[in-house]
Amino acid sequence: FPSHDTGGGIEANPEDVEIQYQGSTIHIRKDGSVEVNAPVVLVNTETATLNTSAAEVNADSVTVSASSITASASTLTITATTGHTGDITVTGNVNVTGLVSASGFSGLAGAAVTATVPIQTTQDVTAGGISLSGHVHPYTWTDGSGSGSTGVPT
């Protein structure tokens, strides 16, 4: 196929087909693989399905805008170097390797937290409406000395 004055053309050889147009190139290789080199690749479709044994995205930034994202995997690893804002809903167990740091922790109704490590806080802990650092124990003496409450823990 001849080149046109647009600076493009199609070249075919026994190994592959190469289409060039205004700085972009599409290689269709004999083994069936396709390579696209272009400043921008735009895909407009109703539904896109990627069936592959492995996929990798190498980019400085990736933005996904969607009303819902579902990830289904036997193992899901998320590594972030900066904070996340917004809600994250997890159905199932969450296993954390490393530190968990949180502020304003709430909304665990119906959830169970199991820890096999020491839990440390500089704030008071309340369980069942009872303050750990501010609770007292009532007592009654059987020898007539009276009754009252202990002081708060020190």
Side-chain angles (χ1 to χ4, degrees), residues 28-82:
I28 304 172
R29 308 224 187 275
K30 184 178 180 181
D31 65 5
S33 65
V34 177
E35 178 183 343
V36 178
N37 294 299
V40 175
V41 176
L42 177 63
V43 177
N44 294 309
T45 183
E46 288 291 319
T47 302
T49 301
L50 174 64
N51 295 311
T52 181
S53 60
E56 184 174 326
V57 176
N58 295 307
D60 292 332
S61 175
V62 175
T63 301
V64 177
S65 298
S67 60
S68 175
I69 297 174
T70 301
S72 178
S74 60
T75 301
L76 176 62
T77 303
I78 300 172
T79 304
T81 56
T82 60

Side-chain angles (χ1 to χ4, degrees), residues 1 3 9 11 20 29-30 32 51 60 83 93 98 103 114 119 124 135 144 146:
F1 300 93
S3 288
E11 296 178 16
Q20 295 180 349
R29 308 224 187 275
K30 184 178 180 181
N51 295 311
D60 292 332
N93 294 331
S103 62
T114 302
I119 298 174
D124 188 20
H135 75 281

Side-chain angles (χ1 to χ4, degrees), residues 7-153:
I10 299 175
E11 296 178 16
N13 64 47
E15 294 301 314
D16 60 14
V17 174
E18 182 178 284
I19 302 169
Q20 295 180 349
Y21 182 74
Q22 294 184 348
S24 296
T25 306
I26 299 173
H27 297 276
I28 304 172
R29 308 224 187 275
K30 184 178 180 181
D31 65 5
S33 65
V34 177
E35 178 183 343
V36 178
N37 294 299
V40 175
V41 176
L42 177 63
V43 177
N44 294 309
T45 183
E46 288 291 319
T47 302
T49 301
L50 174 64
N51 295 311
T52 181
S53 60
E56 184 174 326
V57 176
N58 295 307
D60 292 332
S61 175
V62 175
T63 301
V64 177
S65 298
S67 60
S68 175
I69 297 174
T70 301
S72 178
S74 60
T75 301
L76 176 62
T77 303
I78 300 172
T79 304
T81 56
T82 60
H84 168 78
T85 59
D87 293 343
I88 297 175
T89 300
V90 177
T91 302
N93 294 331
V94 176
N95 299 306
V96 177
T97 302
L99 299 176
V100 174
S101 127
S103 62
F105 216 92
S106 66
L108 289 175
V113 177
T114 302
T116 57
V117 296
I119 298 174
Q120 300 175 352
T121 180
T122 57
Q123 303 296 314
D124 188 20
V125 176
T126 302
I130 299 171
S131 161
L132 179 63
S133 64
H135 75 281
V136 295
H137 294 269
Y139 65 86
T140 302
W141 296 108
T142 57
D143 65 2
S145 300
S147 62
S149 294
T150 63
V152 297

